[in-house]
């Protein structure tokens, strides 16, 4: 054969049957090899699509995936990216009638199409498995990307990795079933899916053990990207909570963007995270692994995981800020332009070297990140108002949100350096500026968790920052520095953010007392004018802040 010609691909045919699989490990390895070759040689010319099919029984409806050559087609009605959340529950719950079947009914696919389930490195998948993988491809994976095209590429990349490895296949079933249980609480098949969720987790761990054993005994001990993906999914879905907690404030639109409200209810697996970090570092860091598979989601997981632990992200952030968002995709209207002049104004460079922000001496990276957060806040406000010129989607804001979040989360404590030893002496006379820089850092992180990269209350990210900030504010208040120019206004802003974060907790009383003592001003409208010069968004902050202020009066 001419070496320049492509090698013919053989996709092992999947034949539905009610009998249990008797395949050996070598068969599975062969199927995995075929899937990998299909990925390498067919990814450019073929696209994965899930299209509705119907069996001979009229009451049974299911999603049947095919890979289709040629132009991409409109995705099916189970794509809920632009639909209300209850549409997901209703649509997928309709499939409960056929979930009892051990295998999918056979369906013909036209010429130029083939069924990716025929190339899975797993035998005789059940109807539940087919359903959950369909749900993952059309729903969970389509949440990640900065455009519809990048979301499709991401989902197709994850599907290829899932086809290549039994460990990844079962891990993805675990992930999509967890997502389904949280997002579809009224589904009639919930109890069954929860039971299968545990079963798939066990199967994923068993298959991953085989992968690791082969990796350790191979001549070239470099772990494959599909095994890394299995560990990634297992790390994200360590456990999950279904209990509801009171939110301290109205939710930012970014709280549900990228399904953050769902992943926020999951407890990440520490053991899997440690292994994932070590393996990626052995490969040479984030740039050395597949960017289509991990480049978007790994930095996000890195930030969310370490934020819960009160640590800096472990990996650098390789994507650059896109600078100002203003341009073709966002043309601020008059209201937005007014907000751009107000929000974050106190953090901007000032020529007056006697001003408060000049004395606090924040470095350039911090002020750049704060300026980005302020601009994203205004763009979010315009997006919610929906007036002409507003950003067409939250995808426009995602990159700058992640860049600014990583910058602010990576700032070392101004009081407790990395060696863990406090650098502040509380003896008189007290130097207030390191304390104020730390209050600024903690307040900014609280605002991030409220507006830019929000997480549910049970993660305690906001609460932990508010708890650490309270004694610092009390110390500065007791040192007679609060009357210096700008410090009093700054402390009101920080105290209000801390008070919002401590609502419905044991810290609420302490912050209410501090609010009562920190200012003699009774008029909320005047207070609001002061705090808006820092980081503030009316939509999220006004309602709880006003209630707390009036209660403290």
């Amino acid at each position: 054969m001419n070496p320049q010609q492509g090698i013919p691909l053989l996709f092992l045919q999947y034949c539905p049957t009610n009998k249990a699989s008797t395949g050996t490990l070598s068969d599975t390895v062969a199927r995995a090899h075929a899937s990998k070759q299909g990925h390498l040689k067919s990814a450019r010319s073929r696209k994965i699509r899930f299209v509705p099919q119907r069996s001979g029984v009229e009451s049974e409806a299911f999603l049947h995936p095919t890979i289709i050559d040629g132009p991409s087609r409109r995705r099916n009605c189970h794509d809920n990216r632009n639909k209300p959340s209850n549409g997901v529950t209703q649509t997928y719950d309709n499939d409960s009638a056929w979930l009892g079947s051990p295998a999918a009914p056979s369906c013909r696919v036209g010429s130029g199409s083939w069924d990716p389930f025929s190339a899975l490195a797993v035998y005789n998948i059940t109807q539940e498995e087919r359903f959950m993988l369909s749900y993952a491809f059309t729903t969970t994976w389509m949440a990640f990307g900065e455009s519809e095209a990048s979301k499709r590429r991401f989902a197709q990349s994850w599907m290829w990795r899932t086809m290549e490895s039994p460990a990844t296949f079962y891990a993805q079933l675990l992930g999509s079933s967890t997502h389904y249980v949280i997002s579809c609480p009224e589904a009639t098949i919930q109890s069954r899916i929860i039971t299968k969720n545990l079963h798939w987790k066990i199967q994923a761990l068993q298959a991953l053990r085989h992968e690791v054993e082969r990796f350790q005994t191979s001549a070239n001990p470099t772990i494959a990207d599909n095994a890394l993906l299995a560990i990634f999914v297992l790390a994200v879905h360590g456990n999950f909570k279904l209990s509801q907690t009171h939110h301290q404030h109205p939710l930012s639109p970014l709280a549900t963007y990228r399904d953050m409200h769902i992943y926020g209810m999951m407890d990440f697996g520490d053991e899997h995270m440690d292994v994932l970090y070590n393996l990626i570092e052995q490969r040479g860091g984030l740039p050395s692994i597949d960017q289509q598979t991990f480049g978007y989601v790994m930095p996000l997981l890195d930030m969310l995981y370490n934020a819960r632990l009160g640590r800096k992200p472990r990996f650098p952030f390789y994507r650059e800020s896109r600078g100002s968002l203003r341009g073709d995709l966002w043309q601020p209207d008059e209201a937005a332009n007014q907000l751009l002049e107000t929000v974050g104004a106190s953090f901007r460079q000032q020529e007056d070297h006697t001003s408060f922000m000049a004395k606090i001496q924040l470095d350039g990276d911090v002020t750049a990140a704060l300026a980005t957060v302020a601009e994203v806040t205004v763009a979010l406000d315009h997006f919610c108002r929906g007036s002409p010129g507003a950003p067409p989607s939250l995808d426009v804001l995602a990159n700058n949100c992640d860049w600014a979040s990583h910058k602010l989360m990576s700032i070392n404590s101004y009081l407790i350096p990395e060696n863990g030893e406090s650098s502040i002496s509380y003896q008189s006379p007290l130097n207030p500026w390191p304390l104020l820089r730390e209050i600024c850092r903690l307040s900014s992180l609280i605002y991030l968790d409220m507006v830019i990269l929000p997480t549910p209350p049970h993660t305690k990210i906001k609460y932990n920052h508010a708890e650490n900030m309270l004694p610092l504010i009390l110390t500065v208040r007791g040192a007679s520095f609060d009357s210096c120019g700008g410090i009093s206004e700054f402390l009101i802003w920080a105290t209000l953010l801390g008070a919002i974060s401590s609502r419905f907790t044991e810290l609420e009383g302490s912050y209410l007392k501090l609010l009562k003592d920190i200012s003699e001003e009774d008029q909320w409208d005047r207070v609001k004018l002061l705090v808006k010069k820092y980081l503030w968004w009316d939509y999220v902050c006004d309602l709880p802040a006003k209630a707390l202020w009036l209660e403290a009066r």
Side-chain angles (χ1 to χ4, degrees):
M1 176 182 289
N2 185 340
Q4 299 300 320
Q5 295 178 351
I7 300 175
L9 299 181
L10 173 64
F11 288 93
L12 304 179
Q13 187 62 34
Y14 163 70
C15 299
T17 177
N18 291 337
K19 296 181 180 180
S21 169
T22 58
T24 64
L25 179 60
S26 61
D27 297 326
T28 300
V29 172
R31 293 172 67 83
H33 174 74
S35 294
K36 291 176 184 178
Q37 295 305 310
H39 182 181
L40 294 174
K41 297 184 178 297
S42 301
R44 292 184 179 179
S45 60
R46 297 186 174 188
K47 295 183 179 181
I48 301 171
R49 289 289 183 272
F50 283 81
V51 295
Q53 302 282 346
R54 187 174 294 274
S55 71
V57 180
E58 192 67 25
S59 62
E60 292 181 345
F62 66 99
L63 294 175
H64 189 75
T66 60
I67 294 184
I68 302 173
D69 285 326
S72 61
R73 302 180 182 179
R74 183 183 300 275
R75 290 194 296 127
N76 65 74
C77 61
H78 286 188
D79 172 18
N80 69 309
R81 288 297 105 196
N82 296 313
K83 294 184 179 182
S85 59
N86 59 3
V88 182
T89 303
Q90 180 181 2
T91 300
Y92 280 99
D93 195 28
N94 287 340
D95 295 297
S96 60
W98 53 263
L99 285 180
S101 175
S106 60
C107 294
R108 294 183 179 180
V109 294
S111 61
S113 305
W114 57 278
D115 185 351
F117 284 120
S118 298
L120 286 169
V122 178
Y123 283 95
N124 297 338
I125 66 171
T126 66
Q127 198 69 307
E128 290 103 333
E129 292 166 348
R130 182 180 290 267
F131 171 74
M132 279 295 116
L133 198 57
S134 302
Y135 179 81
F137 185 82
T138 58
T139 306
T140 63
W141 301 343
M142 286 298 293
F144 298 102
E146 295 178 15
S147 66
E148 289 303 312
S150 66
K151 290 174 184 177
R152 286 192 295 270
R153 289 193 298 269
F154 175 82
Q156 290 184 19
S157 171
W158 274 42
M159 176 58 84
W160 283 118
R161 297 299 178 196
T162 302
M163 292 164 60
E164 293 171 357
S165 162
T168 312
F169 172 75
Y170 289 117
Q172 297 289 20
L173 296 180
L174 163 70
S176 61
S177 61
T178 303
H179 188 288
Y180 179 84
V181 167
I182 295 174
S183 62
C184 306
E186 304 300 324
T188 57
I189 59 174
Q190 261 235 350
S191 59
R192 183 168 182 175
I193 294 298
I194 291 174
T195 302
K196 295 297 295 183
N197 178 279
L198 179 59
H199 178 65
W200 289 325
K201 185 173 186 177
I202 294 170
Q203 288 180 294
L205 291 171
Q206 290 174 340
L208 186 59
R209 188 176 296 113
H210 287 297
E211 292 270 354
V212 172
E213 289 172 356
R214 288 198 296 125
F215 152 71
Q216 291 174 337
T217 57
S218 64
N220 182 24
T222 300
I223 194 153
D225 284 328
N226 52 54
L228 279 180
L229 182 56
I231 298 170
F232 178 98
V233 177
L234 287 168
V236 172
H237 302 88
N239 205 342
F240 63 94
K241 293 181 174 68
L242 289 177
S243 58
Q244 298 295 323
T245 55
H246 292 291
H247 289 281
Q248 298 103 330
H249 52 80
L251 294 182
S252 164
L254 293 171
T256 53
Y257 177 66
R258 300 186 288 200
D259 292 339
M260 286 294 101
H261 60 305
I262 294 175
Y263 294 106
M265 297 179 69
M266 299 179 189
D267 292 331
F268 303 144
D270 293 332
E271 298 86 356
H272 294 301
M273 287 298 303
D274 289 340
V275 172
L276 186 63
Y277 278 130
N278 290 331
L279 290 174
I280 292 176
E281 288 169 349
Q282 287 176 17
R283 289 272 298 268
L286 283 181
S288 301
I289 60 177
D290 183 57
Q291 293 303 296
Q292 188 65 62
T293 304
F294 297 102
Y296 186 86
V297 292
M298 189 63 218
L300 196 58
L301 174 60
D302 186 32
M303 286 189 287
L304 293 171
Y305 175 69
N306 286 289
R308 296 186 183 191
L309 300 176
R311 302 188 310 214
K312 299 191 302 181
R314 186 156 167 175
F315 292 134
F317 193 79
Y318 291 98
R319 301 200 306 269
E320 292 294 329
S321 167
R322 293 180 176 172
S324 176
L325 295 171
R326 284 163 276 184
D328 294 338
L329 294 177
W330 178 38
Q331 295 88 38
D333 59 7
E334 183 178 354
N337 281 319
Q338 291 177 356
L339 277 179
L340 285 169
E341 295 179 2
T342 304
V343 177
S346 292
F347 290 121
R348 297 182 192 125
Q349 295 293 334
Q350 300 184 31
E351 297 180 0
D352 182 6
H353 297 293
T354 64
S355 68
F356 164 66
M357 290 312 301
K359 289 182 178 179
I360 205 172
Q361 296 179 348
L362 298 175
D363 62 47
D365 283 347
V366 177
T367 55
L370 293 173
T372 299
V373 171
E375 186 182 56
V376 168
T377 298
V378 179
L380 271 174
D381 182 80
H382 196 177
F383 174 82
C384 287
R385 288 187 290 109
S387 60
S393 74
L394 295 176
D395 296 339
V396 176
L397 315 180
N399 184 78
N400 281 12
C401 286
D402 293 347
W403 178 86
S405 296
H406 193 278
K407 282 288 186 185
L408 293 175
M409 290 178 180
S410 300
I411 303 171
N412 290 323
S413 169
Y414 294 101
L415 303 185
I416 306 176
E418 291 183 279
N419 61 16
E421 298 178 1
S422 176
S423 61
I424 296 298
S425 171
Y426 288 91
Q427 298 177 356
S428 182
L430 178 68
N431 179 4
W433 302 112
L435 288 170
L436 291 167
R437 282 193 290 273
E438 182 68 0
I439 292 171
C440 183
R441 183 183 77 88
L442 294 172
S443 300
S444 301
L445 292 175
I446 289 174
Y447 187 81
L448 279 184
D449 198 68
M450 291 172 60
V451 175
I452 305 299
L453 196 64
T455 62
H458 82 263
T459 64
K460 289 193 169 182
I461 294 176
K462 288 184 288 287
Y463 173 86
N464 291 336
H465 294 321
E467 185 179 37
N468 293 332
M469 187 170 65
L470 180 61
L472 304 181
I473 298 176
L474 292 173
T475 300
V476 174
R477 283 275 300 153
S480 70
F481 286 100
D482 57 305
S483 59
C484 297
I487 294 183
S488 179
E489 296 176 2
F490 172 79
L491 291 180
I492 292 174
W493 168 69
T495 302
L496 279 170
L497 290 183
I500 294 171
S501 302
S502 65
R503 292 183 80 194
F504 316 121
T505 73
E506 64 273 16
L507 284 181
E508 184 175 9
S510 299
Y511 269 102
L512 282 173
K513 184 178 184 302
L514 184 56
L515 280 177
K516 182 178 181 179
D517 297 338
I518 204 166
S519 175
E520 300 296 329
E521 180 60 64
D522 290 328
Q523 297 297 319
W524 165 249
D525 291 341
R526 295 179 183 176
V527 174
K528 180 179 171 179
L529 292 177
L530 299 178
V531 298
K532 285 189 71 170
K533 294 187 294 183
Y534 297 93
L535 295 178
W536 196 265
W537 187 22
D538 298 355
Y539 180 81
V540 170
C541 303
D542 269 13
L543 187 64
K546 182 177 180 180
L548 288 164
W549 186 266
L550 295 179
E551 185 177 352
R553 294 298 98 192

